[in-house]
Amino acid sequence: GAVVSQHPSRVICKSGTSVKIECRSLDFQATTMFWYRQFPKQSLMLMATSNEGSKATYEQGVEKDKFLINHASLTLSTLTVTSAHPEDSSFYICSAGRSGRNNEQFFGPGTRLTVL
Amino acid sequence: GNSVTQMEGPVTLSEEAFLTINCTYTATGYPSLFWYVQYPGEGLQLLLKATKADDKGSNKGFEATYRKETTSFHLEKGSVQVSDSAVYFCALFHLSGNTPLVFGKGTRLSVIA
């Protein structure tokens, strides 16, 4: 089956620093990847749609200057949380769809960000 | 727009009890329907799916049938185990793999021995 990896799995940082999270499709090409955020005991909230070679599309209420997304290749998308604050602490999950595979999306294992 | 409503938890069951987690959806056309499971501290895993009306998805003893007439995709398992304790998410999306999923709010299941 298709595999999506995320790195790092956990990160702890100080307030004001920036954190980069990588999402990779390991054995397939993904022209589109999605970034979700999950607060404790809540569902996933779509943050943005990342398109290879073009600007990301952000959901309403998500600050694009705060959450920088770069989809540099068909197998890699990065999410950078800039000037992180404690309220940015969350579980960030990416997913990628593989064309012609019955509409299935594959999720990364998630990255838990804790901002002190 | 598209939406998913699932029963609120938490649900607490004894081992070997019967499980039902209700899920209904609102969508135009014929979406694909999914159940994802999230074990403590981990990401999402696809549990089962159904891509057209009357399809039954099944995996690890869990089943769900795509019912267009009732716009439902209820998750069932005949005999739950402690290892089934997790959060279960119902989700839908349309057409190609290049669209995001719409998730329900999740239902936390705790199975006690």
Side-chain angles (χ1 to χ4, degrees), chain B residues 45-93:
Chain B
Q45 299 176 29
L46 176 65
L47 181 60
L48 54 84
K49 65 180 180 183
T51 57
K52 61 182 187 295
D54 299 325
D55 268 2
K56 177 186 282 187
S58 61
N59 185 26
K60 300 181 181 179
F62 291 89
E63 292 183 342
T65 301
Y66 188 145
R67 301 283 188 202
K68 182 140 182 78
E69 63 276 14
T70 54
T71 60
S72 65
F73 193 55
H74 304 323
L75 182 68
E76 296 182 337
K77 186 173 185 181
S79 176
V80 293
Q81 305 300 314
V82 172
S83 56
D84 294 327
S85 298
V87 180
Y88 293 82
F89 292 94
C90 186
L92 70 83
F93 68 78

Side-chain angles (χ1 to χ4, degrees), chain A residues 28-34 36 49 51 95-106, chain B residues 2 30-34 36 49 51 92-102:
Chain A
F28 68 100
Q29 294 183 333
T31 54
T32 304
M33 291 183 175
F34 303 97
Y36 297 84
T49 302
N51 300 296
S95 74
R98 194 165 77 170
S99 298
R101 293 293 293 183
N102 248 0
N103 300 338
E104 185 173 347
Q105 286 199 6
F106 302 92
Chain B
N2 299 333
Y30 298 88
S32 297
L33 301 174
F34 302 80
Y36 285 86
K49 65 180 180 183
T51 57
L92 70 83
F93 68 78
H94 273 288
L95 303 176
S96 74
N98 287 336
T99 55
L101 288 105
V102 175

